[in-house]
């Protein structure tokens, strides 16, 4: 304990003289943690380290230019992250790092063609290396605002110029491969990459490539439709449960009644919209009974809880709202 007190007094002396440096401070506290692990935790010396570190880190990071000595800065930040607890790191240090990295994202250029993969990809790889010290949700937000719009716009304009698709794929994989495994697993990153994949699929099928902005709008609409359908299913289920309780109360039968099937849900939905929902005798599609929902032929995959509607040349999966819209469109033709 005397040794710890002696070291802390020495740190305070240097601090008052204004000669305390980040590197020496880290070395001192790392040494204390190794030699006095129990005392380090018991007396919460991490907080003591933080009280000296934050002013120095703040001053240093405010003057920090990410393009100068990037490896040295990353090593230093990694060392401090390992010592400070995660809450302290995210609340006080990360806000000093993210704006500088965000600026690097804004300066990043993403253009069609392999010629762009050299210098710019090196810069991108360096930014990605900070994922080891910056929490993933911050990295994802920076990717969404500073990288993916550029990647998708570059890809869209390249695909519109009828390029060699093999070159396009290699270019795309080069950028994708620069992302860390953790970021690739994030659902928001996967959504952004799927926009790229969808555009490349359209080009491969020789159909008009939809601009990424419009693809995102369509995806948002699909998501909202799914949310509405889920809410509708939940409401129907609640109504069914309420009806079940009423029947149990009136009949004195306390046996549990089965939940509504997808067929029953569609039937209720049809009734609410003054439409018929009846099986078409003798007609099936891949073993599934075909029904008439108003003017639209549908089949139901009960195992996977999916509804399919017949269009001119094929069958397409639809929501209840989409099914109703198809019927309404058929009436107005």
């Amino acid at each position: 304990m005397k040794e710890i007190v002696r070291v802390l007094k020495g740190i305070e002396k240097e601090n008052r003289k204004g000669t305390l440096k980040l590197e020496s401070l880290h070395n001192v506290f790392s040494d204390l943690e190794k030699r006095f692990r129990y005392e380090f935790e018991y007396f919460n010396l991490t907080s003591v380290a933080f009280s000296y570190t934050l002013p120095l880190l703040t001053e240093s990071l405010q003057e920090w230019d990410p393009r100068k000595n990037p490896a040295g800065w990353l090593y230093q930040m990694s060392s401090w992250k390992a010592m400070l607890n995660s809450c302290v790191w995210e609340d006080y240090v990360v806000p000093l790092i993210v704006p500088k990295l965000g600026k690097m994202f804004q300066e990043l250029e993403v253009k069609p063609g392999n010629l762009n993969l050299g210098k710019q990809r090196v810069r991108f790889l360096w930014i990605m290396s900070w994922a080891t010290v910056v929490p993933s949700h911050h990295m994802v937000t920076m990717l969404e605002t500073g990288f993916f719009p550029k990647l998708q716009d570059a890809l869209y304009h390249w695909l519109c110029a009828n390029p060699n698709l093999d070159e396009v794929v290699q270019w795309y994989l080069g950028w994708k491969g620069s992302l860390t495994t953790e970021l690739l697993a994030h659902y928001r990153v996967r959504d952004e990459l799927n926009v790229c994949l969808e555009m490349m699929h359209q080009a491969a099928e020789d159909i008009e490539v939809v601009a990424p902005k419009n693809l995102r709008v369509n995806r948002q609409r699909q998501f909202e439709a799914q949310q509405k359908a889920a809410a509708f299913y939940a409401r129907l289920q609640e109504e069914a449960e309420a009806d079940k309780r009423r029947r149990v109360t009136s009949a004195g039968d306390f046996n549990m009644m089965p939940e509504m099937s997808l067929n029953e849900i569609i039937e209720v939905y049809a009734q609410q919209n003054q439409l018929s929902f009846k099986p078409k005798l003798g007609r099936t599609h891949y073993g599934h009974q075909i029904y008439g929902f108003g003017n639209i032929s549908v089949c139901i995959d009960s195992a996977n809880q999916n509804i399919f509607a017949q269009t001119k040349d094929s069958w397409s999966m639809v929501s209840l709202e989409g099914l109703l819209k198809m019927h309404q469109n058929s009436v107005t033709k």
Side-chain angles (χ1 to χ4, degrees):
M1 187 63 194
K2 289 182 179 180
E3 176 64 12
I4 294 176
V5 172
R6 184 190 68 78
V7 171
L8 293 180
K9 284 183 177 179
I11 293 174
E12 178 59 25
K13 184 177 180 180
E14 284 194 45
N15 186 50
R16 289 179 178 178
K17 290 168 59 178
T19 58
L20 195 60
K21 302 295 182 183
L22 270 175
E23 185 175 356
S24 61
L25 185 63
H26 180 270
N27 292 338
V28 168
F29 277 101
S30 292
D31 181 63
L32 286 177
E33 187 177 20
K34 290 177 183 176
R35 291 195 293 151
F36 307 100
R37 184 169 297 277
Y38 172 78
E39 291 85 350
F40 199 92
E41 294 182 4
Y42 184 80
F43 293 106
N44 194 17
L45 294 185
T46 296
S47 296
V48 179
F50 174 67
S51 67
Y52 288 110
T53 303
L54 183 60
L56 296 176
L57 274 177
T58 301
E59 182 180 355
S60 298
L61 288 171
Q62 285 174 344
E63 299 174 356
W64 170 48
D65 183 346
R67 288 162 291 200
K68 296 180 180 179
N69 189 24
W73 270 100
L74 181 58
Y75 174 77
Q76 189 175 149
M77 293 300 102
S78 298
S79 300
W80 278 112
K81 181 177 183 291
M83 179 177 293
L84 302 175
N85 68 59
S86 58
C87 292
V88 166
W89 182 257
E90 180 156 1
D91 290 346
Y92 294 97
V93 182
V94 169
L96 298 171
I97 299 174
V98 168
K100 298 292 182 77
L101 294 182
K103 186 177 180 181
M104 293 292 289
F105 268 114
Q106 296 302 323
E107 295 174 355
L108 185 70
E109 294 181 0
V110 182
K111 297 180 180 179
N114 292 328
L115 293 177
N116 183 243
L117 280 179
K119 181 179 178 181
Q120 295 301 319
R121 188 178 172 195
V122 169
R123 175 178 291 186
F124 186 67
L125 285 169
W126 177 81
I127 298 174
M128 286 299 98
S129 67
W130 281 84
T132 58
V133 297
V134 176
S136 61
H137 60 275
H138 289 292
M139 296 298 295
V140 169
T141 299
M142 287 189 286
L143 285 167
E144 287 176 326
T145 57
F147 172 66
F148 280 121
K150 297 176 183 178
L151 180 73
Q152 292 163 0
D153 286 342
L155 177 60
Y156 170 70
H157 288 102
W158 196 8
L159 291 173
C160 289
N162 194 28
N164 182 314
L165 289 181
D166 289 336
E167 291 182 7
V168 174
V169 170
Q170 292 305 313
W171 175 86
Y172 163 77
L173 292 176
W175 285 108
K176 178 185 175 184
S178 303
L179 297 168
T180 66
T181 302
E182 182 182 9
L183 290 173
L184 286 171
H186 199 287
Y187 74 96
R188 283 158 57 191
V189 171
R190 293 200 305 270
D191 284 346
E192 297 289 352
L193 292 174
N194 284 338
V195 171
C196 297
L197 292 174
E198 195 164 342
M199 287 191 290
M200 288 190 287
H201 174 73
Q202 291 167 349
E205 294 295 320
D206 199 25
I207 58 179
E208 182 181 0
V209 179
V210 179
K213 179 180 179 180
N214 294 334
L215 281 176
R216 284 191 287 270
V217 170
N218 292 341
R219 285 174 173 271
Q220 181 62 29
R221 287 174 178 169
Q222 290 174 359
F223 173 76
E224 291 173 355
Q226 291 170 354
Q227 292 293 95
K228 289 180 180 178
F232 176 77
Y233 292 147
R235 189 172 72 252
L236 285 182
Q237 194 60 53
E238 288 176 2
E239 292 175 358
E241 290 293 332
D243 183 61
K244 178 172 64 178
R245 287 192 293 271
R246 285 194 297 269
R247 293 185 191 181
V248 168
T249 302
S250 61
D253 181 7
F254 293 94
N255 293 323
M256 295 298 291
M257 296 178 64
E259 295 183 352
M260 290 180 69
S261 67
L262 183 55
N263 292 54
E264 292 171 329
I265 290 174
I266 299 172
E267 184 176 4
V268 171
Y269 187 69
Q271 291 173 356
Q272 290 179 343
N273 289 280
Q274 291 80 48
L275 296 175
S276 63
F277 178 68
K278 297 179 180 179
K280 294 187 175 183
L281 299 179
R283 291 190 59 189
T284 60
H285 176 67
Y286 288 105
H288 297 295
Q289 173 67 52
I290 295 178
Y291 295 81
F293 180 91
N295 296 336
I296 307 301
S297 294
V298 301
C299 66
I300 302 165
D301 181 0
S302 300
N304 297 303
Q305 295 291 290
N306 290 325
I307 308 170
F308 293 88
Q310 187 176 26
T311 57
K312 287 184 178 180
D313 303 315
S314 62
W315 290 80
S316 302
M317 189 167 64
V318 295
S319 64
L320 286 175
E321 288 187 344
L323 191 56
L324 178 60
K325 188 173 182 180
M326 289 177 68
H327 167 77
Q328 292 170 341
N329 290 340
S330 71
V331 173
T332 57
K333 288 183 179 179

